[in-house]
Amino acid sequence: MKKIIVQKFGGTSVADTDKIKNVAQTVIREKNNGNDVVVVVSAMGHTTDHLVKMAKDLNPNPSAREMDMLLSTGECVSIALLTMAIQAQGYKAVSFNATQIGILTENVHSKARIVDIKTEKLKKNLDEGNIIVVAGFQGVTEDGEITTLGRGGSDTSAVALAAALNAERCDIYTDVEGVYTTDPRVVQNASRLDIISYEEMLELAHAGANVLHPRSVETAKQCAVPLRVRSSFKLENMGTLILGVEKMEIHKPVAGVAADSSQVRVVVCDVPDTPGAAATLFSCLADENVSVDMIIQSYARKVSNTNDIAFTINKEDLDKATVILKDVQAKLGAADVKIDDDIAKVSIIGAGMIDRPGIASTMFKTLAENNINIRMISTSEIKISCLINKEDAQAAVKALHDVFNLGCDEIADVKGTLPDV
Ligand code: ASP
Ligand code: MG
């Protein structure tokens, strides 16, 4: 049996026809290595952003169903063009959208999860010698409704396909050379990691490192799909390999630093201190599919018998959340809801921090020395996040990258021109 390699190319890698020709060469190279190749592509360049803009020009509140209908078209253009480019080189290739394959998702628009992928058609076409080009980012429900997986979701399509096909590896080709200790555009001597664990990558992705869609890492971890992030433009560079933590030897306590400015902070003030208040608040948000990140409930005030509940959500959910929160405020009898969008979350991540005391205090001390105020703190086993003012984000990242010795001697060569969302 031949090995199957899944390759994924982001928007920057297929931004114009020259770049698509370049991708066709990379695909063919893998095929010539004797492997079966399944390719997943994103929409060309900034196509998805343009589609979003057109929608908003016509309707400030477009329905999620029609947004999915619209946004799924971007990837359809790329698959057809890439397939033509491969065929032009004399290779057999065929493109499929999610509906044709059966990439089944839950019945949720705009950030659906994949529940199953039918592999019959893929296997049949591979057996016939085809290179298969699949539209990333999109799915279909049992009833034939078109869905999308959320911005940046093509990574997840690729990993899910790799898992379904039992692929040897999933290679994510992008505009950066791999996973860095932090954003090389912010810290010049950021170093590229040769290897990182799924666990760390997952925390980095959630903390705002834009390299991979978090759900793709989750899926890779669950299904043990080896993942490689590498540059479309520098093929000689092997990029970063992402594997299970048990396969690694960990030296440094902190592997990376990330900042995320895509969240807003919500404070529900003076919530009566009774059982069920938090349950009511977060169920109402969950029912409308609003994800919540950091949560802090303050110590109850004795006199009023109330407390404050603060949490963060994604900016893109803010309009929806504002409506829900008005209702919940009344339901709970809370005094006020305050929203603050001038914030950033800065996080340090590392499997090496487990059982190593002093990492949190070093982080807090470093922020203090730079006169950066911490507004919320949350931790997991391998991550510490602080919510700070947005204007302090870059300084915080630089200082933390420094104090945990993550830099290398060279200045990172940042080739990417378009952010590859
Ligand atoms: N085209 C989609 C986006 O821009 C999906 C992706 O690129 O992964 O978000
Ligand atoms: Mg992407």
Side-chain angles (χ1 to χ4, degrees):
M1 264 266 290
K2 277 189 182 175
K3 288 179 185 157
I4 300 176
I5 304 287
V6 174
Q7 300 183 319
K8 182 257 168 180
F9 295 88
T12 324
S13 308
V14 292
D16 55 41
T17 48
D18 278 340
K19 295 212 168 93
I20 292 177
K21 278 186 199 156
N22 188 42
V23 167
Q25 291 305 337
T26 309
V27 172
I28 287 168
R29 197 157 96 154
E30 195 62 74
K31 177 79 180 165
N32 287 343
N33 285 340
N35 295 317
D36 274 341
V37 187
V38 176
V39 190
V40 175
V41 278
S42 298
M44 293 170 71
H46 286 307
T47 302
T48 312
D49 290 336
H50 288 146
L51 294 171
V52 170
K53 187 171 176 305
M54 281 199 283
K56 295 260 154 113
D57 281 351
L58 295 169
N59 185 336
N61 249 325
S63 77
R65 181 186 187 276
E66 299 314 319
M67 277 310 277
D68 280 356
M69 193 65 103
L70 177 70
L71 298 191
S72 66
T73 61
E75 274 66 15
C76 293
V77 173
S78 316
I79 54 171
L81 290 176
L82 176 60
T83 306
M84 291 172 194
I86 297 170
Q87 289 170 343
Q89 299 301 311
Y91 285 76
K92 281 180 76 177
V94 57
S95 67
F96 293 118
N97 66 23
T99 307
Q100 288 171 301
I101 295 172
I103 300 184
L104 296 177
T105 70
E106 352 161 278
N107 198 1
V108 182
H109 285 292
S110 88
K111 47 178 160 183
R113 284 173 176 267
I114 296 176
V115 292
D116 191 23
I117 297 184
K118 308 276 176 226
T119 54
E120 297 81 42
K121 197 173 216 156
L122 295 169
K123 288 195 173 136
K124 180 173 165 280
N125 278 276
L126 286 175
D127 288 345
E128 287 167 10
N130 283 294
I131 292 168
I132 300 180
V133 184
V134 180
F137 180 54
Q138 51 178 263
V140 64
T141 67
E142 291 273 13
D143 314 330
E145 285 293 304
I146 305 233
T147 53
T148 62
L149 312 182
R151 294 303 305 270
S154 301
D155 295 340
T156 301
S157 312
V159 175
L161 273 161
L165 289 166
N166 227 331
E168 178 76 8
R169 209 175 59 237
C170 181
D171 286 343
I172 308 277
Y173 286 86
T174 177
D175 60 343
V176 291
E177 286 178 42
V179 180
Y180 282 82
T181 48
T182 195
D183 186 342
R185 288 169 294 197
V186 176
V187 179
Q188 287 205 323
N189 71 339
S191 30
R192 186 175 52 76
L193 297 158
D194 288 329
I195 188 164
I196 185 172
S197 64
Y198 295 125
E199 290 75 3
E200 290 164 312
M201 191 61 228
L202 205 50
E203 294 285 12
L204 263 178
H206 276 298
N210 274 329
V211 189
L212 287 176
H213 193 234
R215 286 219 316 274
S216 69
V217 189
E218 245 166 62
T219 312
K221 176 172 182 248
Q222 252 167 31
C223 307
V225 176
L227 207 58
R228 193 179 272 289
V229 177
R230 55 192 297 188
S231 160
S232 303
F233 308 110
K234 283 202 175 169
L235 294 178
E236 67 285 2
N237 190 329
M238 288 310 282
T240 302
L241 184 63
I242 307 167
L243 287 176
V245 71
E246 66 287 351
K247 301 213 170 110
M248 294 173 47
E249 216 179 307
I250 292 161
H251 301 293
K252 284 189 177 172
V254 175
V257 182
D260 180 5
S261 307
S262 68
Q263 298 194 345
V264 290
R265 181 173 78 147
V266 179
V267 188
V268 186
C269 307
D270 281 323
V271 181
D273 187 27
T274 50
T280 305
L281 168 59
F282 294 110
S283 313
C284 291
L285 291 165
D287 288 348
E288 294 298 322
N289 251 307
V290 176
S291 319
V292 174
D293 184 20
M294 298 168 104
I295 303 177
I296 290 186
Q297 177 179 304
S298 70
Y299 192 65
R301 281 177 282 263
K302 280 241 167 57
V303 183
S304 58
N305 202 28
T306 60
N307 53 38
D308 297 336
I309 301 181
F311 54 94
T312 60
I313 57 172
N314 280 333
K315 259 186 200 144
E316 56 186 54
D317 286 334
L318 183 58
D319 290 348
K320 198 157 70 172
T322 310
V323 178
I324 302 166
L325 288 165
K326 267 221 179 81
D327 267 12
V328 182
Q329 182 189 343
K331 216 186 230 168
L332 294 175
D336 198 5
V337 175
K338 289 191 184 133
I339 288 169
D340 183 357
D341 64 359
D342 235 7
I343 52 142
K345 181 180 73 172
V346 37
S347 309
I348 56 171
I349 290 112
M353 69 172 74
I354 299 172
D355 289 335
R356 240 193 266 208
I359 305 298
S361 64
T362 305
M363 178 178 193
F364 304 150
K365 210 161 74 195
T366 306
L367 295 176
E369 280 163 7
N370 285 275
N371 216 1
I372 295 171
N373 191 29
I374 302 173
R375 301 172 58 181
M376 267 166 100
I377 300 171
S378 80
T379 60
S380 79
E381 213 181 11
I382 62 165
K383 180 178 77 170
I384 307 169
S385 302
C386 296
L387 205 68
I388 58 174
N389 289 339
K390 198 194 224 150
E391 61 187 33
D392 294 330
Q394 292 210 354
V397 168
K398 281 186 185 141
L400 294 168
H401 194 264
D402 234 35
V403 79
F404 290 109
N405 276 323
L406 298 178
C408 61
D409 297 337
E410 294 155 40
I411 304 258
D413 179 14
V414 192
K415 277 280 174 298
T417 42
L418 301 173
D420 195 8
V421 260

